[in-house]
Amino acid sequence: MYKNDPFEGITDPAQQKLVLGGEACMWGETVDDSDLFNTVWPRAASVAERLWSPTWANNSFDFMPRLSSFRCLLNRRGYPAAAVHNDEARSAPPQPGSCIYQ
């Protein structure tokens, strides 16, 4: 999700300014009520950063600590968000501990 470029195929800066927003879609074939929020929030955060940050700031290596912190913030506020350091970004953390390192 993070590697998608909202300006792909739009090289003219004047045309890029016409892009007003975007969306993060969630398909239902692999998600149900038990893992909807766990799945949606980390992905929506990735899309939001790509859409609203300048191109020079979009670096997936730098983004992971921010995503981990955002996930912890969501958990502290009572919103379920799955651990982001696993292949599925939906499965349970592999071990107990700080939500940042799960």
Side-chain angles (χ1 to χ4, degrees):
M1 309 253 3
Y2 193 81
K3 293 180 181 178
N4 292 322
D5 182 2
F7 297 129
E8 183 177 347
I10 306 172
T11 57
D12 180 3
Q15 293 294 311
Q16 290 178 350
K17 290 181 180 180
L18 298 175
V19 176
L20 300 177
E23 64 182 25
C25 298
M26 184 73 244
W27 285 269
E29 70 273 6
T30 61
V31 178
D32 62 18
D33 289 345
S34 70
D35 65 352
L36 175 66
F37 290 118
N38 297 359
T39 305
V40 169
W41 287 120
R43 286 169 172 75
S46 299
V47 171
E49 177 156 313
R50 287 293 291 153
L51 289 172
W52 303 117
S53 297
T55 304
W56 58 264
N58 290 312
N59 178 306
S60 59
F61 181 76
D62 293 338
F63 173 65
M64 285 309 294
R66 290 192 298 278
L67 181 59
S68 296
S69 294
F70 181 66
R71 184 242 176 191
C72 290
L73 176 68
L74 288 170
N75 287 170
R76 284 194 304 270
R77 292 183 176 177
Y79 293 95
V84 297
H85 294 286
N86 61 54
D87 291 338
E88 293 293 319
R90 289 182 7 201
S91 58
Q95 60 193 24
S98 168
C99 64
I100 291 177
Y101 298 108
Q102 293 179 355

